[in-house]
Amino acid sequence: MKFHRHHIISMKDFTRDEIDYILDRAGKLESLAKSGRSDILSGKILALLFYEPSTRTRMSFETAMLRLGGNVLNLGSKDTSSVIKGETLADTIRVISTYSDAIVLRHTSEGAAQMAMEFSSVPVINGGDGAGHHPTQTLLDLYTIKRESRLEHPDIAIVGDLKYGRTVHSLTYALSLYGANITFVSPQQLKMPDQIIDDLKTRGAHVNETENFDKVLNNIDVLYMTRIQKERFPDPTEYKKVANAYKITNKQLVNVRPNMIIMHPLPRINEIDSSVDNTDHARYFQQSFYGVPIRMALLTIVMGADI
Ligand code: NCD
């Protein structure tokens, strides 16, 4: 496996066989992810460097490490670390990589993980780089689709902020390997970047774009909702124009495919009404749990441990 003791930066780096290998390994670890503890990573240390807020990514990595018997080092708030004194990311990474066996980095700048990789003596895992990529989220998204729907040729609508949303950038690259039929639904201002659409077409992906949510809702297996990424808008008035662009309530679910599942990387703001939570379609909380077995699988791979 190419990722043994290697960095996880972008979904573009993965072949389908590699993804399938990770999903299979997560399947084997799923019951341990729910409860218990093993010694698979006993003596190993994972460093968490989060320069942007996080709940699920940070805590599921911590949970994964604890269930595997390893330990976690946390940078904590950047206000209480030397980042506030002006230390460069390169220097922080150089040092932290001598304290740990792998580093998860979340950063505000696109390309930060790529850059960190150059200065690290241990594997760097991209936990989200600005509006760039979020590969570990994508692996758990694929795992959710595989477990709760079908990963071969799914009909999927990806809705919301496709310009600034890093989860959807990573997800679409991976879906192109599974023959997915992808419809992008967004306001004009938040369209999927042309560069990504071009890349997807070159990879042979089936992609469509629309602004009309209702038109696609009844013909899909997977509805992937996302939040409008308020913090990435240079101008708050532009955010206000699109803040409530798409919202799903249980009333819109009457004619959808019976097995259609609804996913969301979370946090949700107002895109999914709470009336959807108790329907058979909701999978977003299950999806966030799947972050644990996926991150357990990744950690065992990058740290070179057998399971
Ligand atoms: C996402 C992120 O940070 O990109 N959250 C997550 O990791 N589950 C999605 C978001 O913030 O909208």
Side-chain angles (χ1 to χ4, degrees):
M1 175 80 187
K2 175 172 99 196
F3 292 94
H4 270 239
R5 302 181 203 283
H6 267 82
H7 312 282
I8 303 220
I9 306 297
S10 160
M11 282 319 292
K12 285 193 222 175
D13 304 332
F14 287 79
T15 65
R16 181 174 158 158
D17 280 352
E18 287 162 350
I19 296 173
D20 288 337
Y21 178 85
I22 295 165
L23 302 187
D24 282 352
R25 187 174 270 232
K28 292 182 187 135
L29 292 163
E30 195 183 306
S31 67
L32 179 59
K34 284 199 188 101
S35 73
R37 193 180 177 113
S38 73
D39 57 8
I40 297 170
L41 291 184
S42 141
K44 299 283 187 193
I45 296 174
L46 177 68
L48 299 174
L49 264 65
F50 279 66
Y51 292 75
E52 260 193 358
S54 171
T55 302
R56 276 150 292 272
T57 304
R58 186 169 54 79
M59 294 195 72
S60 63
F61 264 114
E62 287 200 42
T63 305
M65 206 55 193
L66 295 177
R67 296 255 186 245
L68 291 164
N71 284 296
V72 175
L73 264 186
N74 225 313
L75 175 77
S77 152
K78 60 182 172 69
D79 301 334
T80 57
S81 70
S82 283
V83 175
I84 198 94
K85 301 181 194 163
E87 181 165 60
T88 62
L89 178 63
D91 280 2
T92 305
I93 293 285
R94 275 189 184 107
V95 172
I96 303 300
S97 67
T98 66
Y99 298 164
S100 59
D101 297 288
I103 295 173
V104 182
L105 174 69
R106 170 169 287 190
H107 203 274
T108 46
S109 305
E110 210 169 319
Q114 180 79 33
M115 191 275 254
M117 180 181 103
E118 315 283 332
F119 297 95
S120 178
S121 53
V122 297
V124 172
I125 302 175
N126 184 3
D129 59 326
H133 291 271
H134 195 348
T136 69
Q137 177 70 40
T138 289
L139 290 163
L140 79 89
D141 292 344
L142 297 175
Y143 189 73
T144 307
I145 298 172
K146 185 177 169 192
R147 292 281 274 104
E148 308 289 329
S149 177
R150 60 186 174 122
L151 191 50
E152 286 302 330
H153 304 286
D155 295 320
I156 177 165
I158 302 184
V159 182
D161 186 346
L162 310 183
K163 178 176 180 186
Y164 297 117
R166 56 194 171 198
T167 69
V168 296
H169 297 161
S170 293
L171 180 61
T172 51
Y173 278 107
L175 284 172
S176 71
L177 301 173
Y178 290 89
N181 183 19
I182 311 170
T183 306
F184 294 124
V185 184
S186 71
Q188 194 60 31
Q189 307 92 298
L190 298 178
K191 269 165 51 78
M192 184 59 79
D194 288 341
Q195 175 64 54
I196 296 184
I197 300 264
D198 290 347
D199 280 358
L200 292 172
K201 288 190 175 152
T202 313
R203 291 166 74 117
H206 315 282
V207 293
N208 290 296
E209 292 179 276
T210 179
E211 288 183 54
N212 187 342
F213 185 33
D214 296 329
K215 212 171 84 185
V216 296
L217 198 53
N218 298 338
N219 301 308
I220 48 175
D221 304 307
V222 180
L223 173 63
Y224 192 98
M225 298 295 288
T226 65
R227 128 186 116 85
I228 310 294
Q229 307 277 304
K230 182 179 183 182
E231 69 277 25
R232 305 209 195 283
F233 279 69
D235 175 357
T237 58
E238 288 302 310
Y239 167 73
K240 288 208 182 90
K241 286 186 200 156
V242 287
N244 298 306
Y246 301 105
K247 175 167 183 166
I248 184 140
T249 70
N250 66 347
K251 293 203 179 69
Q252 288 154 276
L253 297 172
V254 185
N255 294 317
V256 301
R257 290 183 184 167
N259 296 329
M260 190 265 275
I261 62 165
I262 303 173
M263 297 172 59
H264 192 305
L266 302 177
R268 65 175 154 179
I269 307 304
N270 54 8
E271 321 69 58
I272 303 180
D273 188 77
S274 59
S275 64
V276 176
D277 295 357
N278 292 325
T279 69
D280 289 341
H281 303 285
R283 287 296 189 289
Y284 26 95
F285 294 118
Q286 184 64 27
Q287 178 186 358
S288 60
F289 162 69
Y290 287 144
V292 180
I294 277 293
R295 291 176 172 124
M296 288 168 73
L298 284 172
L299 290 171
T300 61
I301 291 168
V302 301
M303 293 186 187
D306 290 330
I307 61 165

